[in-house]
Amino acid sequence: MTKFHLAQMNVATMRYPKDDPRVAEFFERIDEINAIADASPGFVWRLQDESGNATAIETDDPYEIVNMSVWESVDALFAYVYRSDHKQLIAKRKDWFERPTKAFQALWWIPAGHTPSVDEGLDKLRRLDANGPTADAFTFKTLFPSP
């Protein structure tokens, strides 16, 4: 039987350019927050470039940043997002990011060992917007069990 892991993709649109002092705190804390993820129970993988984070990975919008990671379970991801120091960044997101007008986070199950691509994650966000939560792309509010 194949084991599955939980993939997650989230996007945010910056309020200001990446070099603006009003978003400096966010960028100054990225290495710290990534280290927490890397050391979290159930962490499998995260998207990163040569600098060790994903903020330089570009999409069609220069103000959009992407983040993607893979976890052993929903509980492991939830603990990292809402019970670690990562929650401090969530509390300040309105200072740095525009209010989302469409799906900004998608969760989906992948076979263990699969590394999702940015295009795959963006496709999951589009599917979530188009179809609402399904087993193909869902949210913390509407979870689906692993296959």
Side-chain angles (χ1 to χ4, degrees):
M1 185 171 184
T2 305
K3 182 177 179 183
F4 289 86
H5 287 155
L6 183 73
Q8 76 82 29
M9 167 72 134
N10 65 73
V11 297
T13 303
M14 303 295 302
R15 288 184 166 275
Y16 312 102
K18 293 177 182 179
D19 59 353
D20 190 294
R22 292 171 287 190
V23 294
E25 180 186 4
F26 172 77
F27 288 101
E28 289 165 359
R29 295 201 61 197
I30 285 181
D31 289 341
E32 167 199 350
I33 299 304
N34 284 340
I36 292 168
D38 294 348
S40 292
F43 171 81
V44 176
W45 170 88
R46 68 180 166 83
L47 179 66
Q48 55 186 300
D49 62 14
E50 303 79 38
S51 72
N53 66 61
T55 59
I57 295 171
E58 296 182 7
T59 66
D60 294 337
D61 181 347
Y63 281 79
E64 185 174 66
I65 61 171
V66 300
N67 184 39
M68 187 181 318
S69 56
V70 175
W71 298 80
E72 290 179 356
S73 68
V74 170
D75 291 340
L77 173 60
F78 188 90
Y80 164 69
V81 172
Y82 296 109
R83 294 191 185 116
S84 75
D85 283 349
H86 179 269
K87 69 183 175 191
Q88 295 169 3
L89 296 184
I90 292 173
K92 296 186 82 173
R93 68 181 166 218
K94 67 180 183 211
D95 296 338
W96 304 316
F97 305 111
E98 298 290 345
R99 183 179 188 98
T101 58
K102 55 186 179 179
F104 64 92
Q105 181 182 55
L107 310 176
W108 70 100
W109 295 104
I110 60 172
H114 172 68
T115 302
S117 68
V118 171
D119 286 342
E120 180 180 350
L122 293 172
D123 182 60
K124 296 297 183 179
L125 286 168
R126 285 189 291 272
R127 289 174 188 229
L128 187 56
D129 270 333
N131 306 318
T134 67
D136 188 50
F138 51 93
T139 67
F140 279 123
K141 290 182 180 179
T142 307
L143 296 169
F144 285 81
S146 67

